[in-house]
Amino acid sequence: MPLHHPKHRHHDDDLLPYRRSDDEAKPRRPYTPTFPSSASASLGSANRLLVLFAGTCLVLAAASFAFAVSASRSRPPPPLPPPAVAFRCGPAEDSLRSFLASSSSPGRNYSAGDREKVLAVVGVHTEHGSAARRAALRATWFPLNPEGIVSLEHGTGLSFRFVTGRPKDKQKMEDLQKEADMHHDFLFIDADEDTKPPQKMLAFFKAAYHMFDAEFYVKAEDDIYLRPDRLAALLAKERPQHRTYVGCMKKGPVVNDPNQKWYESSWELLGNEYFVHASGSLYALSSEVVEAVATAKSDSLRMFDYEDVTIGAWMLTMNVKHEDNRAMCDPTCTPTSIAVWDKKCSSGIFCINCLSQNLSDTLRGNYLKLAHAQQMLKGLHYPIPGSCNITDKIKQLHNITLCSKSPTLPPEVEEEE
């Protein structure tokens, strides 16, 4: 007997939500989705947009690369380094440093290329024809030999050199070189006898700044009697202003007549009177000032006919303290005089103050009569032999105790300190 009647359904069939057919009982194939035709078209359009975007990016990248290559090829080459300094008369040369570098002992280290640290470098400007003056200075206040220069530098912080250019004349240059080889106290600058004084001063400052790391750079003439110890005391003073211009300040009328002495060719730029500036016989510039001058382009600085006026003009362009010190231009020796010189003697004009103190009153009276006659000659000058002999004057001053052997500072000043 069958277990189930055919008319009765199995209780499992009652639980199913639908009746399984014979087909459903067969094994099924893997499921594969199908899309309508509209969905297939959208997918193809998206693929085409993606390909188009990728192609556009590729084209832009190729174009950018091509532009970069083209720009790099058409770009001008980088600028060349600035050319080396062109010297008209040869680079500056310090005969003392060269001598010490070549002859220094193992315990002393001198290098011709290093900047030497000093309180001040003092350049005594001279010419080929002033050998007698240089000899007089070496016999008085200027150091006689390299050992003396080094000793004075150690004692005062001042380093002294005779400053001159290189003459075009071969014999003159040989004479200077022979003197330099004997005394080793020259600083040759990029100048010659035809170089105008303002350009010579610029060449000196450039050379001195390159060779020395100094607090001050001093210019002096070879016709003064100097007390190095007092100059060092002046420069070593504390100053609130780092940019300083020290000297005997002066001013005067501008000469616009080419037939007169001291004619200034650029007078129309100056007006009727010069601005305040230091006398050219002795003045000092602080380090910051010289740095600005020495590193400036030479053709960017205004040049007047005279060196002292030109330096004064440069000082007006900076925030410089003008320090007037009359002890730097005393006509006679005093307990505080730093430099003794006579303006009229320095300019080659006859002067009574240049006469020896040993002249008798009668002889002095005769000179006074000659001086009076000279004034009546309308500008013509007849120098009297020996009246302004700088060499003799310097030696005479050195023999005066007040000039050469008096204390650096007067007793009352030392007591105050």
Side-chain angles (χ1 to χ4, degrees):
M1 183 173 186
L3 295 177
H4 299 287
H5 193 277
K7 289 185 179 181
H8 296 278
R9 294 176 295 181
H10 194 273
H11 66 274
D12 291 339
D13 293 338
D14 294 339
L15 297 176
L16 293 174
Y18 60 92
R19 184 182 294 273
R20 292 185 297 180
S21 63
D22 295 337
D23 295 335
E24 291 176 340
K26 297 178 181 179
R28 295 186 180 184
R29 295 178 180 177
Y31 174 77
T32 303
T34 58
F35 299 94
S37 59
S38 59
S40 300
S42 299
L43 181 60
S45 177
N47 290 336
R48 286 194 296 271
L49 289 175
L50 183 60
V51 172
L52 180 62
F53 177 75
T56 303
C57 291
L58 183 61
V59 171
L60 291 176
S64 299
F65 178 76
F67 176 77
V69 172
S70 175
S72 63
R73 290 180 178 177
S74 60
R75 184 181 305 167
L80 297 175
V85 178
F87 298 101
R88 297 187 311 110
C89 308
E93 177 189 355
D94 184 356
S95 62
L96 176 63
R97 289 159 66 94
S98 299
F99 170 74
L100 295 177
S102 62
S103 61
S104 60
S105 60
R108 303 164 70 184
N109 184 20
Y110 294 100
S111 174
D114 297 335
R115 294 184 73 205
E116 184 179 355
K117 180 67 176 179
V118 294
L119 171 63
V121 52
V122 183
V124 181
H125 288 245
T126 186
E127 301 292 340
H128 167 265
S130 299
R133 291 189 184 184
R134 293 190 291 274
L137 295 188
R138 293 189 187 102
T140 55
W141 61 265
F142 193 98
L144 180 61
N145 48 43
E147 291 74 15
I149 296 177
V150 173
S151 176
L152 184 60
E153 180 180 320
H154 289 166
T156 64
L158 307 183
S159 191
F160 285 85
R161 301 291 190 279
F162 284 115
V163 179
T164 186
R166 293 179 173 85
K168 295 179 180 179
D169 184 85
K170 183 178 179 180
Q171 184 59 50
K172 291 181 179 180
M173 187 62 219
E174 288 180 356
D175 293 340
L176 280 176
Q177 190 61 57
K178 185 182 299 183
E179 186 178 348
D181 293 340
M182 180 182 298
H183 297 283
H184 308 288
D185 54 8
F186 277 86
L187 172 59
F188 291 102
I189 59 175
D190 182 22
D192 56 37
E193 63 267 29
D194 295 331
T195 304
K196 294 182 178 180
Q199 278 88 359
K200 285 185 179 180
M201 282 310 305
L202 181 59
F204 164 65
F205 285 131
K206 286 180 178 292
Y209 182 77
H210 176 73
M211 296 179 180
F212 293 90
D213 180 11
E215 296 182 30
F216 282 91
Y217 297 81
V218 181
K219 183 261 180 171
E221 292 287 355
D222 62 359
D223 57 0
I224 68 173
Y225 185 85
L226 182 68
R227 282 290 297 263
D229 55 338
R230 292 177 183 168
L231 177 61
L234 170 66
L235 299 180
K237 287 171 36 178
E238 290 291 335
R239 292 175 172 82
Q241 173 64 273
H242 295 293
R243 291 181 291 273
T244 311
Y245 176 32
V246 189
C248 288
M249 300 298 164
K250 63 176 183 175
K251 59 191 303 186
V254 177
V255 179
N256 57 14
D257 185 353
N259 297 318
Q260 293 185 11
K261 190 174 183 179
W262 311 120
Y263 167 68
E264 174 58 65
S265 59
S266 299
W267 60 268
E268 69 280 358
L269 300 176
L270 300 169
N272 296 325
E273 189 176 47
Y274 283 116
F275 37 78
V276 174
H277 59 279
S279 174
S281 289
L282 179 66
Y283 60 85
L285 302 180
S286 62
S287 179
E288 287 190 20
V289 177
V290 173
E291 179 183 9
V293 171
T295 57
K297 293 183 178 179
S298 300
D299 58 358
S300 67
L301 298 173
R302 169 73 65 178
M303 299 286 180
F304 292 99
D305 291 340
Y306 303 104
E307 167 237 329
D308 53 355
V309 173
T310 300
I311 298 298
W314 296 348
M315 297 304 99
L316 292 180
T317 65
M318 310 178 195
N319 185 22
V320 170
K321 170 65 176 177
H322 289 61
E323 186 176 312
D324 184 23
N325 193 308
R326 311 314 294 179
M328 298 175 72
C329 56
D330 268 330
T332 57
C333 293
T334 70
T336 59
S337 58
I338 297 173
V340 179
W341 53 275
D342 192 288
K343 178 180 177 182
K344 294 179 181 179
C345 276
S346 299
S347 59
I349 302 175
F350 170 79
C351 61
I352 299 302
N353 290 335
C354 290
L355 298 178
S356 170
Q357 295 181 0
N358 296 325
L359 288 176
S360 65
D361 293 339
T362 302
L363 184 57
R364 187 182 299 275
N366 292 335
Y367 274 108
L368 288 171
K369 292 178 182 178
L370 289 173
H372 177 72
Q374 181 189 39
Q375 293 177 357
M376 301 177 62
L377 293 177
K378 297 181 180 180
L380 295 178
H381 301 287
Y382 294 90
I384 299 175
S387 63
C388 270
N389 188 313
I390 301 298
T391 300
D392 292 341
K393 179 67 175 179
I394 290 174
K395 292 179 179 179
Q396 292 163 6
L397 291 174
H398 191 67
N399 291 330
I400 300 174
T401 300
L402 183 61
C403 295
S404 60
K405 297 180 175 61
S406 58
T408 300
L409 298 176
E412 59 271 17
V413 176
E414 293 179 344
E415 291 176 2
E416 291 177 2
E417 295 184 350

